[in-house]
Amino acid sequence: MKHLSRSLFGGAVALMSSVALAEPAKYIFQPPVTSVARDIFDLHTSMMWIITFIFVAVFGVMFYSIWKHRKSVGAKPAQFHESTTVEIAWTVIPVIILVAMAFPATRVVLEYKDTSNPDLTVKATGYQWKWGYDYIKGEGEGISMLSTLTTPRDQIEGDAPKGENYLREVDNMLTVPVGKKVRILTTANDVIHSFWVPEFGVKQDAIPGFVRDTWFRAEKEGIYRGQCVELCGKDHGFMPIVVNVLSAEKYTAWVASQKAAAAGVADEAAREWTKAELMARGEKAYGAVCAACHQPTGQGLANAFPTLVGSKVVAGPAIDQIKLVLAGRKGVFMPTSQMPAQAMLPDADIAAVITYTRNSWGNRSDESIVQPSAVKAAR
Amino acid sequence: MSQTTAAAVGHAHDHAHDHGDHGHGHHPTGFMRWLTTTNHKDIGSMYLWFSFTMFLMGGVLALGIRAELFKPGLQLWHPEFFNQLTTMHGVIMVFGAIMPAFVGFANWLVPMQIGAPDMAFARMNNWSFWLLPPAALLLVISFFVPGGAAAGGWTLYAPLTSQMGPGMDLAIFALHILGASSIMGSINIVVTILNMRAPGMTLMKMPMFVWTWLITAYLLIAVMPVLAGAITMTLTDRHFGTSFFNAAGGGDPVMYQHVFWFFGHPEVYIMILPAFGIVSHVIPAFARKPLFGYSSMVYATSSIAILSFIVWAHHMFVVGMPAAGVLFFMYATVLIAVPTGVKVFNWLATMWRGSMTFETPMLFAVGFLFVFSMGGFTGLVCAIAPIDLQIQDTYYVVAHFHYVLVAGSLFALFSGAYFWLPKWTGHMYSESLGKLHFWLSLIFFNITFFPMHFLGLAGMPRRIPDYATQFADFNMIASIGAFGFGLSQLVFLVAVLKCVRGGEKATAQVWEGAEGLEWTLPSPAPYHSFEVPPQVK
């Protein structure tokens, strides 16, 4: 039965996906690339067969009855109205069917809960509204990055045609080796987020103040796209999770390039930046981090997000603005809301963004240039 | 004990009634009549009109959601307003439309079905209704305060709720008031049912609608205070520096979810058990055959109610529970399918070898049976924890609970409305309008919600204002269906208004196969239902 159903249903799915070529699946789960995802796929397939069978049987009876037992075809009502035997039968038989349904799932639960002996451990931190990845243990230990949506605003607002990976593309992908057990620790910085990659059969809430874990072992190289699935505020729909699965050699090379880049970040905080450099970097960081609330125009939104144009903070002493960006701030309009703390950004980004706001939209300030070293000192 | 109480209440009523007779000339008219009424029928009508108004409001919000999702990209709303739409759509439909509608039915029908003159606590009845409009007003006002309405989802998960503006406080106050109203309404229903039944009507002779409401009322009394506790803790976390759900202060955000769903899962059955009751009257009437397995229906309803208290964490399979917790809640959840299945089988057995006709109430009841069962089946799929891992927080879940809430609760409400309208108004409704309403609703409902199963399976999360382009086709279909479904509800409004204003006179019996005390009263039913208690054999 299981083999038959798998080949029938799997055949149908294969047909659909072959028609669609590389397009993502549309009617069913994305093609699984881990053992857990495959088990879930099979569980779902067998559930669908059982349900379809019961559905046809029960509603076959109903429609037969509707057809035959109508007053208009001369049906006379019978008067029977109870039978203990029948009641017991349709209580006991469903219990057996249901336990039979749930039993195979038990093994899968135990399987996906077993996070022991990972080859690589990565902490995924949910921020409003991006993901941070810290490589805790295993090859690549010490790598740390933020992963932000790269889809341009004009695509979202309909001023440009939507790209191939619309809303599911990021600047820094979570990169892992193929065939290795990767344990993901989830946590969050502000509110609850949820880490989901459909192809891996991995979904785990990221809860502020707590660490939870899940795992996957990707069997195929490639890029897999998921997104946050727990409502986390305004830009919940705009924080994708993109995982790049590499071969062992490519992964080792990637780790080396990340280490080199990390060394560069340390250097950039130490050196003196020109205004042009800061403005260019600041515009990019502003677009990725700040524009969602303060808007690309810097004017914010009435009753929700304060304007930066002519803002006292932006015109005032630089140190106050540095501290505000690092620590976040209780909302101006909403006493209980707040601007999230941005301390996870590199010193250079914070310095550049502050410089950018102080020299844009007609803003003027005595301290118009902020160096990364000043941010480092303020931490 | 219950004998003497019944006698005492009966006596008290006679007394009050004497006064009523003397006071006939002093009945206020116009608005004051409705403001001061203590009559179960007046209050029932106000509940029903209130809930229909809220249904239209919640519907407009839903159309706002579907309009934005018609195609990918941000067209109409900012994401923060989109979140307000999803949140308030849920809050208004659950607490403003579905729950008060069932209380309206209870007000109209419980006294008539048990042979009582009115509800036990007539003044409290008035008060429980008049709490609703201020609560609704708070919800409406919340759209216009700085920061807008609550935008954390109808489940109001912490700690996102701590980031909201005063709109969240207004929503919390509204829920407190609605909760107080529900508790009072439930106490009234329990006391009425236990004390004011006609002589000879033992518990196991009560009509199914009365049974289901008795059980629902106990559920409400048990869980509404739990919700009140959860949102009060949210309120003090927001304003008074407590840290119930704030990890930085030693609290636990997941604790909120446990408390909320301990309310939330019984709440699901609060919204469906009275629907089961309605359908259990309609199907026998139009099959012209008694309800099959009455006592097993009662036991099944009770089992569902009891089980509903031990399955809450199936809403939380992905928060990271230990394997033992996941397995317990998975097995407990699939067990709920057993009593639910018993009910469906009993209804089918009632139809079997009956002599059926398909007037509008029966159409909605059969439609309920068919489409609600599909929601039941997808519920089973969601109950299997590993599968839920893939579909939790996706459109699959949205499809599932709209199949049970719209095609379940709402279709049963429509079925009941057409079934008892002639008794309430004294006129027959227009059968052609009723049938038009049914077929439009059924077809557009499926166009709206069936594609959402595919969206969820393929990976579209819920509560997002914009989506990846591979989801575009089904979203467009769903949006078209939603507008069709919304507009179809205006047919219902026209049908009801026409029926209230006039139409063919209804007989006392109304339906050939209908059974129960309410059909012994003339149509429209007299102001005080049973002035002399009928004898039930």
Side-chain angles (χ1 to χ4, degrees), chain B residues 199-218:
Chain B
M201 182 180 279
T202 58
L203 283 177
M204 289 309 278
K205 281 186 187 164
M206 288 198 308
M208 271 315 290
F209 179 73
V210 177
W211 251 119
T212 52
W213 243 115
L214 180 64
I215 292 167
T216 304
Y218 275 111

Side-chain angles (χ1 to χ4, degrees), chain B residues 5 13 50 65 89 132 139 166 192 208 210 245 274 286 289-290 330 339 399 407 427 453 457 460 479:
Chain B
T5 329
H13 171 76
F50 172 83
I65 297 170
H89 165 70
L132 301 182
L139 292 177
T192 306
M208 271 315 290
V210 177
F245 308 127
F286 293 93
K289 193 165 154 276
M330 176 173 82
H427 308 124
H453 293 113
L457 291 172
M460 177 167 163
S479 289

Side-chain angles (χ1 to χ4, degrees), chain A residues 24-30 36-37 40 43-44 47-48 51 54-55 58-59 61-66 69-72 74-83 86-87 90-92 94-95 98-99 101-106 108-110 112-113 128-129 153 155-158 162-164 166-168 190-192 194 196-205 207-210 212 227-238 295 301 303-305 333-338, chain B residues 72-75 78-80 83 86-87 146-147 151-153 157-166 238-239 247 251-254 257 287-296 317-323 326-327 330-331 334-335 337-338 341-342 344-346 348-349 351-358 366 369-370 373-374 377-378 380-381 384-394 396 454-471 473-474 512:
Chain A
K26 252 177 129 168
Y27 299 90
I28 188 66
F29 295 137
Q30 300 303 324
V36 170
I40 294 174
L43 272 179
H44 179 258
M47 280 291 286
M48 288 309 289
I51 285 172
I54 300 174
F55 188 83
V58 170
F59 289 100
V61 171
M62 187 179 91
F63 283 111
Y64 177 84
S65 176
I66 288 176
H69 305 147
R70 275 180 298 155
K71 198 183 179 190
S72 57
K76 293 274 173 289
Q79 285 305 314
F80 65 84
H81 59 88
E82 61 187 344
S83 159
V86 174
E87 298 286 354
W90 64 38
T91 307
V92 174
V95 170
L98 288 166
V99 172
M101 272 178 180
F103 189 72
T106 307
V108 184
V109 170
L110 297 176
Y112 79 70
K113 280 285 168 193
Q128 284 174 317
W129 291 273
R153 289 302 296 181
Q155 283 190 22
I156 294 172
E157 275 153 19
K162 297 187 181 6
E164 188 193 348
Y166 178 68
L167 297 189
R168 295 209 161 179
D190 30 50
V191 300
I192 302 178
S194 192
W196 183 33
V197 183
E199 285 90 342
F200 297 169
V202 158
K203 185 182 286 165
Q204 175 59 55
D205 285 356
I207 299 157
F210 292 82
R212 299 286 156 91
Q227 64 188 98
C228 176
V229 280
E230 182 64 65
L231 178 62
C232 54
K234 187 170 86 66
D235 281 348
H236 163 52
F238 304 94
Q295 303 300 307
L301 280 178
N303 286 338
F305 307 111
F333 294 105
M334 295 173 271
T336 51
S337 75
Q338 69 178 173
Chain B
L74 291 178
Q75 281 77 235
H78 289 294
E80 55 273 33
N83 289 345
T86 55
T87 304
Y157 273 11
L160 184 58
T161 43
S162 299
Q163 295 186 347
M164 303 283 150
R238 283 167 54 77
H239 295 295
D252 182 351
V254 177
Q257 299 182 22
R288 294 167 179 77
K289 193 165 154 276
L291 180 68
F292 186 88
Y294 170 86
S295 41
S296 80
F317 277 148
V318 302
V319 297
M321 273 186 286
V326 172
L327 291 174
M330 176 173 82
Y331 278 93
V334 293
L335 277 187
V338 175
V342 166
V344 171
F345 299 142
N346 278 327
L348 285 182
M351 293 165 73
W352 188 254
R353 290 184 51 211
S355 171
M356 283 186 273
T357 52
F358 293 91
V366 173
L369 203 53
F370 186 63
S373 297
M374 289 170 66
F377 284 127
T378 54
L380 268 180
V381 175
I384 304 297
I387 302 180
D388 191 62
L389 204 71
Q390 289 286 45
I391 55 189
Q392 164 99 60
D393 278 317
T394 69
Y396 193 91
F454 297 130
L455 286 174
L457 291 172
M460 177 167 163
R462 62 191 286 210
R463 294 168 169 168
I464 54 173
D466 191 7
Y467 47 84
T469 46
Q470 70 259 33
F471 306 126
D473 306 354
F474 286 134
E512 186 190 345

Side-chain angles (χ1 to χ4, degrees), chain B residues 382-464:
Chain B
C382 295
I384 304 297
I387 302 180
D388 191 62
L389 204 71
Q390 289 286 45
I391 55 189
Q392 164 99 60
D393 278 317
T394 69
Y395 261 84
Y396 193 91
V397 175
V398 176
H400 159 69
F401 67 71
H402 282 93
Y403 266 79
V404 290
L405 267 178
V406 179
S409 306
L410 186 64
F411 278 21
L413 283 164
F414 286 142
S415 170
Y418 287 109
F419 188 56
W420 282 293
L421 258 180
K423 178 58 64 187
W424 297 343
T425 64
H427 308 124
M428 298 305 286
Y429 60 88
S430 155
E431 198 59 57
S432 48
L433 278 180
K435 287 194 164 129
L436 179 71
H437 176 220
F438 169 73
W439 286 110
L440 288 177
S441 295
L442 184 75
I443 291 167
F444 281 120
F445 168 80
N446 281 292
I447 294 177
T448 311
F449 293 105
F450 199 78
M452 291 186 187
H453 293 113
F454 297 130
L455 286 174
L457 291 172
M460 177 167 163
R462 62 191 286 210
R463 294 168 169 168
I464 54 173

